[in-house]
Amino acid sequence: DIQMTQSPSSLSASVGDRVTITCRASQGISNYLAWFQQKPGKAPKSLIYAASSLQSGVPSKFSGSGSGTDFTLTITSLQPEDFATYYCQQYGSYPLTFGGGTKVDIK
Amino acid sequence: EVQLVESGGDLVQPGGSLRLSCAASGFTFSSHWMNWVRQAPGQGLEWVANIKQDGSEKHYVDSVKGRFTISRDNAKSSLYLQMNSLRAEDTAVYYCTRDFSMGCWGQGTLVTVSS
C-alpha cells in the first residue's frame, strides 16, 4: 500500500498568512494526487486534482504542485473561512489512500 | 447541480448487516467510477471501495473484503454498499464520492455498530 504522509499535522496561522502543506507518497504516483478541505461536521470539499488542477469554483488562492512522491498545497492570504483540516489523497494505485490530515487553526 | 445523497445509516449490533444507498443527480451517473469513503469519529478519511462505470470491476480495502459489497444501478443513478458481519470498527460516517479524484461528495450517512 502507498502511505501518504502529510506535514505538519497541525499549524497555527494568522489571517493574511501564506500557508504551505506538504504530502509525501511512499512510492511514486505520477500526478495522481488530490487535495480536500474539511470543516467540522461537514463533508470534505475537493480543491485540487491531478496535483495542480483547480476544481471548478475553487478560488485561485489555492494551488497545488508536485509530481512523483512530493506534493504541496499552498494557500495564499488566509481568510477566516480557510481554517479547516486539509487532506491529500493518492489515486495512482489500489488501495486509494489519504494522508492523515493537516489542521489549520487561528493563531 | 451535481448532487450525491446518501441514506441507510443506522445503529446496528455487531455481526449485523446494513445497506447504504447513494442517489446521484445532475450528471451522467453511468459515465463515472464511484466510491465509498468512510470517516470514523474524530479520525481521518479511509477509502472503502469503488466500482467501474458498468459494474464490471470492483475494488475494496482489505479490512472490508468478504464482508462488504459495492454495487450500482445505472438506470436508477444509484450506488449501494451492502455491509455484512459489521464490527465496532466499522462505525463511521460513510460518504459516496465520484471519480478517482473524488471531485464530488455526498453529505454522508452515519453507521454505528454497537450492542
Side-chain angles (χ1 to χ4, degrees):
Chain A
D1 298 5
I2 295 178
Q3 309 302 319
M4 305 301 292
T5 304
Q6 283 184 237
S7 60
S9 56
S10 66
L11 66 90
S12 294
S14 300
V15 172
D17 282 355
R18 180 177 188 265
V19 165
T20 297
I21 299 168
T22 66
C23 181
R24 176 164 289 174
S26 60
Q27 302 172 38
I29 56 170
S30 183
N31 68 335
Y32 297 117
L33 192 283
W35 289 97
F36 306 93
Q37 175 194 68
Q38 187 177 33
K39 297 180 180 180
K42 300 294 186 181
K45 172 188 174 183
S46 176
L47 299 175
I48 286 169
Y49 64 97
S52 61
S53 296
L54 209 60
Q55 280 287 357
S56 176
V58 173
S60 58
K61 62 188 302 180
F62 293 95
S63 63
S65 65
S67 183
T69 60
D70 293 314
F71 303 85
T72 61
L73 172 70
T74 300
I75 312 169
T76 58
S77 187
L78 207 63
Q79 296 301 305
E81 61 269 22
D82 301 327
F83 291 96
T85 299
Y86 293 85
Y87 293 95
C88 62
Q89 176 239 334
Q90 68 82 18
Y91 51 100
S93 70
Y94 286 108
L96 310 186
T97 48
F98 291 86
T102 296
K103 185 176 182 180
V104 178
D105 61 21
I106 301 173
K107 184 184 288 183
Chain B
E1 179 194 4
V2 173
Q3 200 169 12
L4 297 170
V5 179
E6 302 92 337
S7 61
D10 204 348
L11 170 63
V12 60
Q13 291 189 340
S17 298
L18 208 55
R19 188 196 196 206
L20 305 183
S21 300
C22 170
S25 60
F27 65 98
T28 305
F29 180 75
S30 60
S31 297
H32 294 267
W33 280 80
M34 296 296 296
N35 309 275
W36 286 101
V37 173
R38 67 185 178 183
Q39 186 170 35
Q43 302 302 308
L45 300 166
E46 180 182 41
W47 171 80
V48 174
N50 70 1
I51 185 169
K52 195 176 179 179
Q53 290 91 331
D54 62 358
S56 62
E57 194 174 327
K58 304 174 184 181
H59 300 269
Y60 300 90
V61 69
D62 281 352
S63 60
V64 308
K65 282 179 183 175
R67 301 189 299 124
F68 290 10
T69 302
I70 190 171
S71 63
R72 65 192 296 161
D73 184 337
N74 287 341
K76 296 182 178 179
S77 296
S78 292
L79 178 71
Y80 306 101
L81 186 67
Q82 176 67 42
M83 303 187 295
N84 298 330
S85 303
L86 282 161
R87 305 167 180 168
E89 54 265 35
D90 296 318
T91 294
V93 175
Y94 285 73
Y95 297 101
C96 163
T97 75
R98 190 185 77 178
D99 300 323
F100 290 104
S101 59
M102 306 198 192
C104 182
W105 294 64
Q107 85 289 349
T109 188
L110 176 62
V111 173
T112 303
V113 184
S114 174
S115 54

